[in-house]
Amino acid sequence: MHFVEVAVPVPLRQTFTYSCDILPEPGCRVSISFGPRNLVGVVTGELTAPENPDKIKAIDKIIDDTPVLDRVLLKLCHWLSQYYLHPIGEVIHTVLPVLLRKGESASPVDEVWWHAADNIDENLAALKRAKRQYACLEALVDEPVREGDLKNTFPSTIINALEEKGFIRQESKPPPLRPKMWLDYFDVAKKPLPDKEQAVAISTIVQSRSRFAPYLLEGVTGSGKTEVYLQAIEDVLAEGRQVLILVPEIGLTPQTVSRFASRFGIDIGILHSQLNDKDRLSVWQRARAGELGVIIGTRSAIFTPMKFPGMIIVDEEHDDSYKQQDGLRYHARDLAVMRAHTENIPLVLGTATPSLETLNNALTKRYGHLQLTKRAGGASKTHQQVLDVRDQRLQFGIADGMLSIMRQHLSMGNQVLVFVNRRGYAPALICHHCGHSYDCRRCERPYTVHRTQQRLQCHHCGGARPIPRQCEHCGENKLITAGVGTEQIEDGLAKMFPGVKQIRIDSDSVRGKDKLQRSLDDINAQKYQLLIGTQILSKGHHFPHVTLVVVLDCDGALFSADFRASEKLAQLVTQLAGRAGRASKPGEMWLQTHNPGHPLLQDLVHNGYAHFARQALDERKLSWMPPFQSQAVIRSEATNGELAWEFLEQVRTLLQSEVVRLNGPLPCLIEKRQGRYRFMLVLQSAQRKAINDLLRRALPNITSLPTASKVRWSLDVDPSDFS
DNA sequence: CCTGGGCGCTTG
DNA sequence: AAGCGCCCAGGA
């Protein structure tokens, strides 16, 4: 009789002891009965002497002979559980592909092969008049054929007919494992000669193979970061090792993938959020078997097992989409650091606009710092300027002076990009007579007016209603919109520049499969001259014909309650600037603002992101902010706001501490969402361990607070925003 | 007396 | 989280 600890997918911060006759390895799944239910758990370790022998149940079934979580991934799960203070069973549940959570087999599904039965000559003779059946049987004479391949040539009716006659039979067997299969046809296509900075970066990364070595690859847009990745990857692949590449949610385009695939002529594993469970499992299996040399994926791809781990790359490491915003709130970039450390392999964090966390690690020499400062092909930097809009007439949010600059660029046949951070027509609808504002009841925030759908839409909860004709409060017919969104600018510019083809790119306009990609292709084929859009335009796509970028409103971010708002604005502006222009057509960028003298804007515009970020780091240090201080947030929400607040008040008394500063309970930046009031309690300390220790000791008491079960609460370690 | 919903307890 | 027993209200 053996005893094992099993992690069970329930929100309890403990494992459960089960008995078994055969000892499963840690990382193997087991079927267990848990209370009145049957669940799939994962063995985390052996136990020699259980504490409550009378309570212990036996495992119903061991699902895996070989662990679904190898040593490294299991270790990572433990780290996640301890660092983010999240129940181990739920951690393991999030790490595993959906089908494996449900108990599906972890080994690849058997392949069906067709064999010719005995008496081949005789059978062939009998098929003299059935030409297709004859051909089909003949195809199987020398060797069995995989069903998929056979069906490419012959319809199933032919195959069925032969089977009925007993001339052929099928056999199922597991597909052969082909570890390092890319080495058979791995071939490097023509590659450009790296410039001096690229060459240094490549050789530095390559020299640190086979050991943990984190690097920040800080490369201005157009400096050829991807080429550095490619040449470093080449070396890892040639050694027979695998590379895991993380990309932001929106960056996983067919172009990105084909750039890697065509360079090496190999199969690439792709993992994105829209992949179905079956395909996801298949990539997981092929990566685990060591078949795939390169795996590219979004956030959760960091959990992909690798038989021959060689390197991890996190592209656009500053991107927000690496942070999971519910459940296990991990940061994939931070986890990549841990994973590379445990795998003992190099890690490359690439970006033109490093997060202050990563930049700090590079400046303090915890990470190697590789810099690419030159734009390839001698392309000149987009010239950035601030446009003072004070006292200027604004039409649909654009100053007259700005419109005339736009006219110049358009008349020269160039493309112009207008960035607005708001989709819809206008961010509010109000009555000009009585001042009544149309707010979503559940969120108590103004509805966004969507003219194309003729609806008011709440961007916090997704709720919608028709646009009223007259004021529901005073009955007057004087409803007006306030503020400017993409739709309104589209309308206004269409009237201002009739005959200029324009396209709007926001999450409303690009809904649907491949719509974004088609639109981007059309833009670069110069089917449009005016591009109006949101965030989406700032991510990864290059627009060589754009010579003017207009950013409509910087002011919000300069005075935001979120201390990261200015960092995010600087990243956005820099990324946008990098999208435009090329060697023969240098670009210019204008930032509309009511605060032209604001030091942040001035610094960004005159000295660039690299300088801005270093200044911002100094400021964070002086004001005791991350990354020099660690933070955690406990959020609480309930339809009864007082209850949500009271819970955090009680938590606060449980958390009194010398070394950890408590701030709150405060309303979240989005105070109400979907009918629930939201509050937060912020923990801050110079030592991350102090926060971790404090929370770990207090969690049992927090969980058992009577109010805890009456509110929805969650814990967020290293929060990236306070919404 | 029966039904149903809310609540709180337990999970090895 | 989720299944279950327990308790109490409400209808006949």
Side-chain angles (χ1 to χ4, degrees):
Chain A
M1 179 78 93
H2 303 280
F3 298 101
V4 285
E5 286 189 286
V6 177
V8 185
V10 290
L12 300 171
R13 288 163 219 277
Q14 63 176 115
T15 53
F16 292 83
T17 312
Y18 282 83
S19 67
C20 48
D21 300 326
I22 306 156
L23 184 67
E25 272 180 70
C28 287
R29 290 171 300 159
V30 289
S31 300
I32 45 156
S33 70
F34 185 74
R37 315 182 257 172
N38 289 309
L39 296 174
V40 175
V42 170
V43 175
T44 56
E46 199 189 351
L47 212 74
T48 41
E51 277 176 37
N52 317 308
D54 41 321
K55 272 192 180 177
I56 290 168
K57 289 184 183 171
I59 282 170
D60 294 334
K61 194 177 140 235
I62 298 174
I63 302 176
D64 304 303
D65 336 316
T66 45
V68 283
L69 291 172
D70 59 36
R71 277 187 130 67
V72 169
L73 283 176
L74 202 55
K75 199 172 166 188
L76 235 48
C77 286
H78 281 117
W79 179 82
L80 279 165
S81 174
Q82 282 174 21
Y83 185 87
Y84 292 105
L85 297 153
H86 201 79
I88 182 72
E90 287 199 330
V91 169
I92 288 177
H93 198 69
T94 23
V95 166
L96 288 177
V98 173
L99 290 177
L100 296 187
R101 299 176 196 167
K102 294 179 181 163
E104 201 108 327
S105 165
S107 31
V109 278
D110 285 358
E111 286 180 331
V112 178
W113 292 76
W114 285 97
H115 296 250
D118 295 339
N119 310 323
I120 292 175
D121 294 338
E122 208 175 291
N123 292 344
L124 277 174
L127 291 171
K128 271 275 148 52
R129 294 181 41 208
K131 277 194 174 163
R132 307 234 33 206
Q133 290 185 40
Y134 184 95
C136 183
L137 178 56
E138 201 176 30
L140 300 175
V141 167
D142 294 329
E143 53 183 9
V145 175
R146 200 181 282 124
E147 182 173 65
D149 298 338
L150 196 62
K151 281 190 171 164
N152 283 340
T153 336
F154 303 99
S156 15
T157 46
I158 303 284
I159 301 170
N160 291 343
L162 283 170
E163 189 189 16
E164 235 156 76
K165 293 190 175 108
F167 290 4
I168 61 174
R169 62 188 162 78
Q170 61 172 339
E171 190 192 353
S172 296
K173 58 178 181 184
L177 293 180
R178 291 164 291 176
K180 305 192 186 189
M181 64 181 278
W182 68 88
L183 286 179
D184 297 341
Y185 51 100
F186 164 66
D187 184 30
V188 181
K190 226 180 110 195
K191 59 182 175 192
L193 206 63
D195 69 19
K196 202 176 165 194
E197 287 179 331
Q198 285 175 318
V200 169
I202 295 161
S203 71
T204 311
I205 297 166
V206 164
Q207 272 165 27
S208 53
R209 68 168 95 101
S210 311
R211 67 182 165 85
F212 172 59
Y215 294 103
L216 164 60
L217 177 61
E218 185 180 16
V220 299
T221 20
S223 62
K225 284 190 296 293
T226 312
E227 191 52 41
V228 173
Y229 300 156
L230 283 164
Q231 300 205 19
I233 291 169
E234 177 187 333
D235 185 78
V236 177
L237 288 175
E239 283 239 296
R241 302 234 227 160
Q242 296 165 283
V243 180
L244 180 59
I245 306 170
L246 299 189
V247 293
E249 217 117 71
I250 213 149
L252 195 45
T253 63
Q255 266 85 337
T256 323
V257 176
S258 78
R259 184 137 185 224
F260 291 92
S262 61
R263 171 67 65 92
F264 304 117
I266 64 173
D267 251 10
I268 283 178
I270 305 164
L271 293 164
H272 53 79
S273 50
Q274 284 147 58
L275 208 62
N276 66 47
D277 295 345
K278 242 180 149 173
D279 293 344
R280 186 176 296 274
L281 179 61
S282 160
V283 173
W284 185 94
Q285 286 161 336
R286 296 182 66 203
R288 176 164 90 140
E291 275 190 21
L292 292 168
V294 176
I295 301 110
I296 301 186
T298 49
R299 184 174 62 234
S300 65
I302 190 59
F303 303 127
T304 313
M306 286 189 282
K307 188 164 190 178
F308 313 108
M311 179 163 73
I312 301 176
I313 294 171
V314 182
D315 190 29
E316 307 294 350
E317 74 70 45
H318 65 280
D319 196 276
D320 296 337
S321 72
Y322 288 125
K323 177 90 203 273
Q324 171 110 14
Q325 293 295 12
D326 59 333
L328 170 60
R329 295 166 174 258
Y330 66 97
H331 200 302
R333 179 240 292 137
D334 297 346
L335 186 56
V337 179
M338 273 316 288
R339 172 119 190 230
H341 181 82
T342 8
E343 303 269 22
N344 219 17
I345 54 176
L347 166 74
V348 181
L349 306 174
T351 176
T353 53
S355 64
L356 297 189
E357 282 75 12
T358 299
L359 182 64
N360 187 237
N361 282 327
L363 296 178
T364 54
K365 314 275 182 210
R366 277 190 286 269
Y367 297 171
H369 196 170
L370 308 167
Q371 281 169 287
L372 308 177
T373 56
K374 293 177 189 64
R375 280 187 139 191
S380 57
K381 189 178 167 294
T382 300
H383 185 59
Q384 298 178 350
Q385 293 144 98
V386 166
L387 185 82
D388 183 358
V389 296
R390 285 176 301 181
D391 286 331
Q392 276 220 42
R393 181 171 69 148
L394 295 176
Q395 297 183 73
F396 37 91
I398 306 180
D400 285 351
M402 198 66 255
L403 286 168
S404 61
I405 300 175
M406 288 171 67
R407 183 169 288 116
Q408 283 170 27
H409 281 258
L410 291 170
S411 68
M412 284 157 68
N414 294 325
Q415 286 179 332
V416 171
L417 190 163
V418 180
F419 175 87
V420 210
N421 215 359
R422 281 213 136 98
R423 64 193 169 88
Y425 186 83
L429 181 71
I430 52 178
C431 175
H432 196 45
H433 179 69
C434 73
H436 176 70
S437 162
Y438 281 75
D439 294 354
C440 167
R441 285 208 193 136
R442 303 205 302 162
C443 306
E444 291 176 18
R445 297 299 293 272
Y447 277 113
T448 300
V449 184
H450 283 253
R451 203 126 105 180
T452 43
Q453 303 161 58
Q454 281 296 313
R455 289 180 87 75
L456 297 179
Q457 196 181 308
C458 175
H459 285 186
H460 295 287
C461 71
R465 51 174 287 187
I467 300 177
R469 281 162 196 272
Q470 66 249 352
C471 179
E472 62 184 4
H473 191 246
C474 68
E476 286 288 323
N477 195 5
K478 286 188 172 172
L479 294 176
I480 54 164
T481 59
V484 181
T486 45
E487 286 180 8
Q488 190 172 158
I489 289 166
E490 191 181 23
D491 269 20
L493 289 178
K495 289 188 192 108
M496 186 66 62
F497 301 114
V500 173
K501 290 249 184 190
Q502 60 175 36
I503 182 171
R504 172 167 59 94
I505 305 274
D506 56 30
S507 52
D508 295 321
S509 75
V510 297
R511 203 156 288 161
K513 197 171 174 276
D514 301 334
K515 182 93 190 283
L516 174 63
Q517 196 54 54
R518 280 202 309 278
S519 301
L520 295 173
D521 291 345
D522 287 347
I523 290 170
N524 285 346
Q526 290 182 277
K527 288 189 187 165
Y528 303 101
Q529 246 198 304
L530 244 173
L531 331 176
I532 300 147
T534 56
Q535 301 272 5
I536 304 180
L537 288 176
S538 72
K539 306 216 171 173
H541 322 291
H542 190 221
F543 304 113
H545 306 295
V546 168
T547 55
L548 172 64
V549 179
V550 180
V551 177
L552 285 196
D553 181 18
C554 302
D555 295 341
L558 296 176
F559 302 102
S560 169
D562 182 349
F563 69 89
R564 267 182 253 260
S566 59
E567 174 191 349
K568 285 176 188 168
L569 174 73
Q571 287 166 350
L572 178 77
V573 163
T574 310
Q575 293 285 345
L576 270 174
R579 305 293 133 225
R582 53 178 172 172
S584 56
K585 283 184 186 177
E588 64 178 311
M589 175 182 218
W590 286 91
L591 308 168
Q592 284 198 174
T593 177
H594 287 92
N595 305 277
H598 196 291
L600 285 180
L601 276 184
Q602 287 298 325
D603 187 22
L604 181 62
V605 164
H606 291 122
N607 308 317
Y609 184 86
H611 186 270
F612 162 87
R614 285 154 179 81
Q615 288 290 115
L617 263 180
D618 288 344
E619 261 172 52
R620 295 272 189 93
K621 193 170 198 169
L622 289 171
S623 56
W624 303 74
M625 284 289 183
F628 302 98
Q629 295 260 311
S630 289
Q631 289 182 327
V633 172
I634 301 175
R635 290 188 185 80
S636 159
E637 46 175 85
T639 39
N640 178 347
E642 249 163 62
L643 205 63
W645 184 85
E646 195 185 314
F647 167 70
L648 289 181
E649 193 58 37
Q650 291 166 358
V651 171
R652 190 191 165 105
T653 57
L654 287 173
L655 290 176
Q656 288 309 324
S657 150
E658 307 271 292
V659 265
V660 176
R661 216 176 76 209
L662 300 174
N663 194 7
L666 303 159
C668 296
L669 295 187
I670 298 170
E671 293 181 34
K672 191 185 179 193
R673 189 155 78 188
Q674 307 208 5
R676 284 188 290 272
Y677 292 90
R678 313 168 74 242
F679 292 87
M680 62 181 176
L681 180 67
V682 184
L683 289 74
Q684 188 170 309
S685 169
Q687 304 136 266
R688 79 171 54 254
K689 193 163 181 307
I691 296 181
N692 190 276
D693 286 346
L694 180 66
L695 282 170
R696 204 181 46 248
R697 285 204 312 271
L699 267 169
N701 301 326
I702 293 174
T703 315
S704 58
L705 281 172
T707 32
S709 55
K710 296 193 181 78
V711 302
R712 290 191 180 190
W713 67 276
S714 64
L715 175 58
D716 191 353
V717 175
D718 302 336
S720 64
D721 66 64
F722 298 95
S723 60

